[in-house]
Amino acid sequence: LASIGLALGLKPARGQAPASHECFIVERDSVCIPGEECLHEDFFECESEGHFTPIVLNETGIEEMKTLVEQRSIVSGISLLTYSDQDIDNDGIHISPRDMMIDNESHSHRRRKLNHLKGPLVGDSYYLVVRVIDMNGLAYPHNTTTMSDNIFGTGSDQVNLKSQIADCSAGQLNLIPGLPPSATPAEVIAVNDVTIGLGHPPGFMEATIPINITDIKDAENRTLVRRSVINTVTDMLGFNLPGLFDHVVFILEDCYHDCGWAAYAFVNSWLQVYKSDYYYYANVQVHEYGHNLGLGHSGIYGSGEYTDHTCSMGNPLYSDEVGKMCFNPAKSYQLNWYDREVLDLTSGQWLGDVMGVGEWKDYPYNLTAIIKIETGTAADFFVGFNRAAGANAQNDEQDDKVTVTLVETGNGLSYSQSWRMFAGGADDIWTSPETYMSTGQNVIVTVNSIDTSVTPGRANICISLGPCVTAAPTAAPTAAPTAAPTAAPTKGDPGANSDP
């Protein structure tokens, strides 16, 4: 174990007494309701044996935690915190980031073994959904059968979490309500007793908590509701969450104080919490699921953290059947569902066609979808074509434009806020704000053309240092005649060397 105070240039923690408790630090991210006041602060909690405990921090502590996350000294869902009894009370864990003892390595295998890390990016991923009822009978009016349809499309719902993730991942990721085949007979019995045994669809249950949710006065006290739901569900199932489930969802009737949020989820973890109608808005579902998979928010450079509405992690779509939108190039690179290229521009420019991720399901491996411009630092640029078709047909803005996205940490491989730098059509040019590596030159992205008359649609782009260089077409040579020609020789097709 080592103190993350080392990352701040502080004293090591070797002299501290052994701690008596361990938990995994997780970041809690919310999606805010447009037009309503919403807390945007970073919240950190610690998860152990299926329970989440807030880490109580002042403003300085929050900033220090954010710095450590940016430095990758703390990784949500991976970093193991050790603390003593004297560090915790009813409000949570009181410990300064400067004094935290963090292990990012030796327990990573243990976390994966316990299935507490995020669900898979490909294959089958299993869900438990809980309809929460408070002590006075307050619960969202939809029954669990309707909820199953709205989340997994088990009835007539056309656009939902399951359908959208299947389409965006080109069928590589399948969300399934219920237990995986690896469940033991005892686990199957325990789950069936409170799900299908009580008339609910597979993977759905109800839990009545001993709390009046209308009495919850502030954001901190919402922790009490979540804790009560976890305790109740744990008692009903007979095992700690998430158990064999990859993801667990709580659906609350509503929120009554400090309620600018639609839903929240834990990053690189397993829990999502929704209130009221927002549970059945397909893109809100995708947004929170994205946090569980380790995705950060998407914004426009110089603007707010949610403002990139070409991406589900900007989340502008608040509707049941309007939710066909995938992710921006940075998030798509992180998810690794598509053909992608990594460019080192010191080796030369890149010239070619890119397709949109929304059409990848029907035309996989046809063209490059995502391009990463490697800068040699943790901050990199990502280029893609925001084709408004297929899984991305209801994209909110910048339809059929080439976009450039920046992440400032993580190399595009892990949790990071992303910033859209550019969205342009044919003949538009983007120039990077800084020079590339040690070349003294700026990166230039040139949009040569966009063609949506073909399927899949494509954008022809050039990524270069300095202006793009395109070779002029040349005439095919004509061999010298060996006999008197009977007709004048003809030139070759001057477009034969052009890109299709």
Side-chain angles (χ1 to χ4, degrees), residues 99-360:
D99 297 323
M100 287 181 177
M101 296 175 63
I102 296 294
D103 185 355
N104 286 328
E105 299 296 334
S106 65
H107 288 271
S108 60
H109 68 283
R110 172 187 165 195
R111 183 167 183 77
R112 283 191 289 270
K113 182 177 179 181
L114 290 176
N115 196 32
H116 285 178
L117 192 52
K118 64 184 181 185
L121 294 178
V122 295
D124 295 332
S125 188
Y126 294 89
Y127 260 77
L128 174 69
V129 180
V130 182
R131 179 176 182 257
V132 179
I133 307 169
D134 89 338
M135 62 185 297
N136 295 318
L138 277 178
Y140 192 75
H142 287 176
N143 61 32
T144 53
T145 299
T146 300
M147 289 179 172
S148 179
D149 185 29
N150 284 328
I151 299 174
F152 299 102
T154 51
S156 60
D157 193 272
Q158 298 298 305
V159 183
N160 49 72
L161 175 64
K162 179 183 176 72
S163 68
Q164 192 58 18
I165 292 300
D167 288 349
C168 287
S169 70
Q172 297 174 79
L173 184 52
N174 182 30
L175 307 186
I176 302 172
L179 281 169
S182 59
T184 66
E187 289 167 330
V188 171
I189 291 172
V191 172
N192 286 351
D193 281 349
V194 298
T195 56
I196 60 176
L198 296 179
H200 303 297
F204 281 75
M205 63 180 291
E206 294 179 338
T208 301
I209 59 175
I211 288 179
N212 178 356
I213 63 173
T214 64
D215 285 342
I216 303 303
K217 301 298 184 184
D218 54 40
E220 289 74 18
N221 283 337
R222 283 201 295 270
T223 301
L224 299 177
V225 174
R226 186 181 68 236
R227 185 178 300 162
S228 182
V229 178
I230 290 174
N231 289 338
T232 301
V233 173
T234 299
D235 290 343
M236 294 175 69
L237 292 173
F239 57 79
N240 290 328
L241 294 175
L244 291 180
F245 299 105
D246 295 300
H247 302 278
V248 178
V249 171
F250 296 161
I251 299 174
L252 305 176
E253 184 264 347
D254 211 336
C255 168
Y256 291 87
H257 305 276
D258 296 327
C259 301
W261 57 277
Y264 67 84
F266 291 95
V267 175
N268 254 8
S269 192
W270 51 268
L271 182 61
Q272 304 163 34
V273 179
Y274 298 82
K275 71 168 191 179
S276 190
D277 297 347
Y278 298 102
Y279 95 86
Y280 66 78
Y281 292 174
N283 214 235
V284 175
Q285 297 168 356
V286 171
H287 181 104
E288 298 309 326
Y289 179 64
H291 283 317
N292 273 183
L293 295 184
L295 301 181
H297 286 139
S298 298
I300 298 173
Y301 192 73
S303 186
E305 65 175 300
Y306 297 97
T307 51
D308 180 7
H309 293 176
T310 68
C311 180
S312 289
M313 300 314 292
N315 194 39
L317 301 179
Y318 288 80
S319 174
D320 181 10
E321 295 302 317
V322 179
K324 289 189 175 184
M325 183 167 65
C326 295
F327 302 95
N328 68 24
K331 301 299 193 284
S332 295
Y333 183 89
Q334 182 178 342
L335 291 166
N336 195 21
W337 289 331
Y338 323 101
D339 273 4
R340 58 187 193 174
E341 295 196 29
V342 179
L343 303 184
D344 178 352
L345 290 177
T346 60
S347 300
Q349 70 178 26
W350 190 92
L351 175 63
D353 289 342
V354 292
M355 68 177 290
V357 300
E359 294 184 292
W360 188 261

Side-chain angles (χ1 to χ4, degrees), residues 3 41 81 96 123 139 247 321 366 373 416 421 455 472:
S3 169
E41 291 91 343
L81 170 68
S96 166
H247 302 278
E321 295 302 317
N366 187 38
I373 304 173
S416 178
M421 308 291 289
T455 305

Side-chain angles (χ1 to χ4, degrees), residues 42 44 57-68 97:
D42 293 87
F44 297 92
L57 300 166
N58 58 24
E59 291 185 6
T60 299
I62 291 173
E63 291 304 312
E64 289 178 350
M65 288 289 281
K66 291 168 63 176
T67 297
L68 293 165

